[in-house]
Amino acid sequence: MANPLGVGWINQVSRLAKPTPAGRFGSFAVQVQRVNALEPKFEPMTDVELREHAHKLRLRARQGDSLNSLLPEAFALVRESAKRTIGQRQFDVQVMGGIAIHNKCIAELETGEGKTLVATMPTFLNALPGKGVYVVTVNDYLAKRDADWMGEVYRHLGMTVGCIQTGQPDGSRRAAYTSDITYGTSKEMGFDFLRDELKRLQLGDTHRKSFEQAFLGRGEHQESETPVQRTHYFAVVDEADSILIDEARTPLIIGANNQPTNEEATAYYGADQLAETLIRIKDYKYDPIERKAELTATGRRKVQSRAAHPSFVALTVDSVYEYVERALRAQIAYLRDRDYVVHDGEVIIVDEFTGRMMPGRQWQDGLHQAIQAKEAIEITLETITAARVTVQDFFKRFGKLAGMTGTATSDASELRRIYKVGVMKIPTNRTCGRVWLPDRVFSTEEEKFRAVAAQVVDWNQHGAPVLIGTRSIEKSEKLSALLAESGIEHQVLNAKNHEIEAQIVVQAGQKGRVTVATNMAGRGTDIKLGEGVAALGGLHVIGTERHESRRIDRQLAGRSARQGDPGLCQFFVSLDDEIVEAFGEKPAARIRKRNTGKGELTSIGWRRFFVTAQRKKEHQHFKDRKMLMHYEKQRAEMRKNMGLNPVLG
């Protein structure tokens, strides 16, 4: 089999053109050869000798030796440690991925190429100076799994490993952050940063320490009042596209409780009831892209006629308009079992990218309370901002940032401009065997789902395992009902049973297995094919809707054909899909009306239509992220000019 890193002498020549992609590839490939050359040196060593050599590297790093000069030895040590502890040896392409990460790149590796193992090498190397390395994952389960699993590799070489989990007390968090390597989610690490800023405010940054505090470590503050994080030295971000791009629009906010009065709570319920009587277009306009409603002159007159209602007795007319427009937004833009679920009398937000529930999170500016009124449940505390930071701003605070993902090249320019990181596509260890079938387009959602069910029945009769990705909990349950009607035994994985998602997804490659899941469910879990499944074409993946980002579609498709296995992917779409509204609400309505009842639309033009819609949505989200970055930058500058901390208040 040909070497995926190419011919050695060509790489030697290519590395002379360093600033170019070819030059960088050649340079990294030459470094891989240097790592390989050290393997015979470390293989005969005992475990004690390996640990002693790792300790010598640590001393050299702290004495000022450059990490680049230590890279071949550090990477070779980690490779040997991985072989002895977890029984896995990094392939040459994985070593190259690690080199790319060390050089402040997002390494794009196909799904199933072992990104978790790739990260161990640059993480160990950058932990040598003792300043702490954060490895950031998308959820608590993966953080704990990776810390336990890869922790064996690090501990074998004398490194300490910590893990941050939701609900952890400050003492445990502080201990985790003082470790050489700390695993956790962007959400938990971001909130720890905000809590630390609030603690510094309470302690007083300009507080002059007494002799006892400065030199004897004694002071009047309890340990729980002191910050938990160290300096932001280096972060390795797993699923970097999801965290650095998709979550970039989501600010992390610590709120201070602001108990609504009885009058305010009554106003939320009253506005919801009033909003239900308003007629779209005549009484209000709705912008599906901005997800905002605005009353027309007719609508305002209708609201004015009700402004004297007991529900609004304490409000001005302008305030009533705001309550009603917020209620309209809650009714139209935020759907139950898609954007949120109601569990034990609480509105719990569902993450739009992962399909997971996010307990404890709230929408801001009264929107959460408007949704509670819509669902006729108790209005809870509204929060006012005590501290906030965007995901963008948090990660820009790191002196060095890198990561890995399966999909990043399409957003390379944005990552380079915002985070100053490059993107490098790493070749696969084996040729990818994924087959992409053309999209099937239908005029209505009902026709689409029935076609999906029929296709699943056909594939299931041959014994091929099928994984079906949906965009919402509601859609996954609708499809589940159709499969049950067709007599197909299957499992449903959505935000309502996310506790066992990894155990369900890992079995999705077994013969005859049918799994219905939200698009991102079980991300990071390796799906291994059952016996005889490769001969049936591997795992068959169906997407039931085109996402607003091509990357999410590629991530779903990437659940199949891992590590050279065969696999198949096909998307089923309809004119009822939300993405069609990228062309505007009225044009979308005209297109749907014109093609109602036409069944499957086989023209290639319809496939191009959905590609165009997707690009429009991607461009809109890019503009939103750009606007958010501009707004946050202005806000930070304004607060700095006023002598205030930019993340507080």
Side-chain angles (χ1 to χ4, degrees):
M1 186 176 68
N3 186 345
L5 299 187
V7 181
W9 70 267
I10 294 178
N11 289 327
Q12 289 280 5
V13 174
S14 297
R15 72 192 182 103
L16 300 175
K18 259 191 178 177
T20 65
R24 191 169 53 180
F25 187 95
S27 177
F28 292 175
V30 169
Q31 287 182 290
V32 173
Q33 291 174 348
R34 290 173 185 158
V35 174
N36 291 343
L38 290 170
E39 195 164 14
K41 174 184 173 181
F42 291 127
E43 276 182 330
M45 286 186 179
T46 64
D47 290 350
V48 173
E49 287 172 331
L50 280 181
R51 198 171 294 113
E52 285 175 352
H53 198 92
H55 183 65
K56 288 176 185 174
L57 289 184
R58 188 189 290 250
L59 291 176
R60 286 171 59 189
R62 294 184 180 186
Q63 288 166 0
D65 284 16
S66 75
L67 294 184
N68 289 337
S69 68
L70 303 178
L71 186 149
E73 289 177 272
F75 276 41
L77 273 172
V78 173
R79 180 187 259 178
E80 188 60 34
S81 178
K83 282 155 59 177
R84 297 185 190 191
T85 54
I86 61 175
Q88 295 186 14
R89 176 190 178 276
Q90 287 95 338
F91 298 119
D92 286 0
V93 291
Q94 291 175 309
V95 177
M96 175 175 265
I99 294 168
I101 291 169
H102 169 65
N103 283 277
K104 299 206 293 188
C105 286
I106 305 295
E108 180 175 294
L109 298 109
E110 280 285 341
T111 50
E113 288 292 301
K115 291 188 286 291
T116 309
L117 190 59
V118 167
T120 54
M121 294 174 286
T123 298
F124 172 79
L125 173 62
N126 285 272
L128 291 174
K131 297 178 183 178
V133 175
Y134 296 174
V135 183
V136 187
T137 61
V138 291
N139 60 58
D140 278 350
Y141 164 76
L142 291 178
K144 182 74 168 63
R145 184 201 71 176
D146 294 352
D148 291 343
W149 184 19
M150 297 299 132
E152 293 184 51
V153 178
Y154 302 125
R155 283 187 284 268
H156 189 254
L157 297 173
M159 289 279 180
T160 55
V161 181
C163 182
I164 304 297
Q165 295 280 280
T166 303
Q168 221 172 19
D170 271 12
S172 300
R173 288 176 184 268
R174 194 173 290 105
Y177 283 119
T178 54
S179 301
D180 294 309
I181 297 155
T182 307
Y183 282 82
T185 64
S186 59
K187 178 172 73 81
E188 287 300 312
M189 289 178 169
F191 280 126
D192 281 338
F193 163 72
L194 291 178
R195 283 188 284 265
D196 282 355
E197 291 297 303
L198 288 169
K199 287 174 182 176
R200 288 190 180 96
L201 179 68
Q202 291 168 351
L203 294 173
D205 284 330
T206 58
H207 173 69
R208 176 172 286 190
K209 294 182 178 180
S210 67
F211 174 84
E212 284 189 336
Q213 288 173 304
F215 296 101
L216 302 181
R218 298 174 189 165
E220 61 209 43
H221 301 297
Q222 299 290 325
E223 188 185 33
S224 60
E225 297 174 345
T226 58
V228 297
Q229 284 187 350
R230 294 200 275 170
T231 56
H232 301 103
Y233 169 62
F234 180 41
V236 179
V237 185
D238 192 8
E239 309 297 3
D241 58 324
S242 177
I243 292 172
L244 299 180
I245 299 291
D246 296 334
E247 293 183 13
R249 290 182 297 160
T250 307
L252 303 174
I253 297 172
I254 289 181
N257 288 337
N258 179 29
Q259 179 68 57
T261 62
N262 288 334
E263 290 82 2
E264 286 176 318
T266 304
Y268 279 114
Y269 292 123
D272 182 72
Q273 292 168 7
L274 177 51
E276 287 182 341
T277 67
L278 301 179
I279 302 167
R280 196 161 175 171
I281 299 174
K282 180 184 176 184
D283 295 329
Y284 66 90
K285 295 181 290 184
Y286 175 70
D287 183 346
I289 295 174
E290 296 292 333
R291 294 177 112 180
K292 287 184 179 178
E294 184 181 348
L295 291 167
T296 62
T298 306
R300 285 180 175 238
R301 284 195 294 272
K302 191 176 286 189
V303 170
Q304 284 172 13
S305 68
R306 295 280 301 275
H309 191 275
S311 299
F312 309 121
V313 69
L315 301 180
T316 64
V317 173
D318 284 345
S319 295
V320 177
Y321 294 156
E322 289 177 14
Y323 271 84
V324 173
E325 286 176 347
R326 196 183 292 127
L328 287 167
R329 188 181 176 200
Q331 289 175 5
I332 300 166
Y334 293 84
L335 304 182
R336 185 169 178 167
D337 287 341
R338 186 192 73 180
D339 301 293
Y340 65 90
V341 295
V342 177
H343 182 68
D344 292 338
E346 287 184 53
V347 170
I348 301 177
I349 297 173
V350 173
D351 187 286
E352 91 177 272
F353 300 107
T354 64
R356 294 184 179 90
M357 291 192 288
M358 300 190 294
R361 298 283 288 273
Q362 282 196 8
W363 283 294
Q364 295 296 301
D365 303 322
L367 177 61
H368 203 85
Q369 287 66 36
I371 291 171
Q372 289 173 329
K374 166 189 167 184
E375 296 294 339
I377 59 179
E378 183 185 357
I379 305 291
T380 60
L381 295 173
E382 185 176 355
T383 57
I384 55 174
T385 301
R388 62 174 277 154
V389 68
T390 62
V391 171
Q392 276 181 359
D393 189 41
F394 175 63
F395 282 107
K396 283 166 70 177
R397 291 171 182 271
F398 283 86
K400 185 175 178 181
L401 180 66
M404 58 275 188
T405 184
T407 47
T409 48
S410 57
D411 292 294
S413 60
E414 185 174 350
L415 289 163
R416 189 180 301 109
R417 190 174 64 256
I418 294 174
Y419 299 102
K420 305 297 186 286
V421 296
V423 172
M424 184 169 183
K425 189 169 179 62
I426 307 298
T428 55
N429 190 51
R430 297 175 183 168
T431 305
C432 181
R434 185 177 306 116
V435 175
W436 283 85
L437 295 180
D439 289 10
R440 292 181 63 185
V441 184
F442 297 85
S443 61
T444 66
E445 184 177 83
E446 183 67 27
E447 291 166 341
K448 174 184 72 176
F449 277 127
R450 294 210 171 272
V452 169
Q455 184 66 79
V456 172
V457 169
D458 181 44
W459 285 342
N460 185 254
Q461 286 173 349
H462 296 90
V466 184
L467 174 66
I468 309 162
T470 63
R471 275 199 61 185
S472 68
I473 300 166
E474 177 195 21
K475 300 287 172 65
S476 67
E477 292 179 344
K478 181 176 182 178
L479 185 55
S480 174
L482 281 173
L483 291 174
E485 188 182 294
S486 302
I488 296 293
E489 189 178 329
H490 62 283
Q491 287 187 292
V492 180
L493 177 62
N494 54 37
K496 291 186 175 179
N497 59 353
H498 66 289
E499 293 89 350
I500 58 169
E501 69 174 35
Q503 291 91 318
I504 294 176
V505 167
V506 80
Q507 298 296 321
Q510 300 303 307
K511 195 170 185 177
R513 184 68 60 101
V514 176
T515 309
V516 181
T518 47
N519 282 354
M520 299 287 283
R523 187 174 181 181
T525 306
D526 199 17
I527 301 177
K528 289 185 168 57
L529 299 184
E531 191 176 340
V533 170
L536 298 170
L539 178 65
H540 291 36
V541 172
I542 290 179
T544 57
E545 202 167 330
R546 280 289 181 179
H547 199 274
E548 292 175 358
S549 167
R550 282 171 291 173
R551 284 181 297 100
I552 307 297
D553 292 342
R554 284 178 60 198
Q555 286 154 8
L556 174 64
R559 310 319 299 273
S560 68
R562 299 164 77 92
Q563 300 177 25
D565 288 336
L568 181 148
C569 180
Q570 186 171 32
F571 278 81
F572 288 64
V573 294
S574 80
L575 297 181
D576 286 340
D577 293 351
E578 193 177 324
I579 199 169
V580 175
E581 292 181 5
F583 294 101
E585 195 174 3
K586 288 182 180 178
R590 285 196 297 271
I591 291 166
R592 287 164 179 157
K593 186 177 180 181
R594 196 161 55 237
N595 293 281
T596 299
K598 289 188 178 179
E600 185 168 3
L601 307 171
T602 55
S603 167
I604 195 172
W606 284 112
R607 291 180 207 144
R608 290 178 185 149
F609 171 84
F610 279 88
V611 169
T612 305
Q614 195 172 50
R615 283 179 181 157
K616 279 179 172 287
K617 280 289 186 183
E618 285 178 329
H619 182 64
Q620 179 61 43
H621 288 320
F622 169 70
K623 283 171 62 181
D624 290 346
R625 290 192 295 270
K626 193 174 176 182
M627 191 179 298
L628 173 70
M629 187 173 69
H630 178 69
Y631 165 74
E632 291 294 331
K633 188 176 179 181
Q634 282 191 323
R635 178 180 173 275
E637 285 177 358
M638 182 179 69
R639 291 188 64 80
K640 280 179 184 175
N641 292 337
M642 295 168 65
L644 301 173
N645 188 322
V647 304
L648 300 181

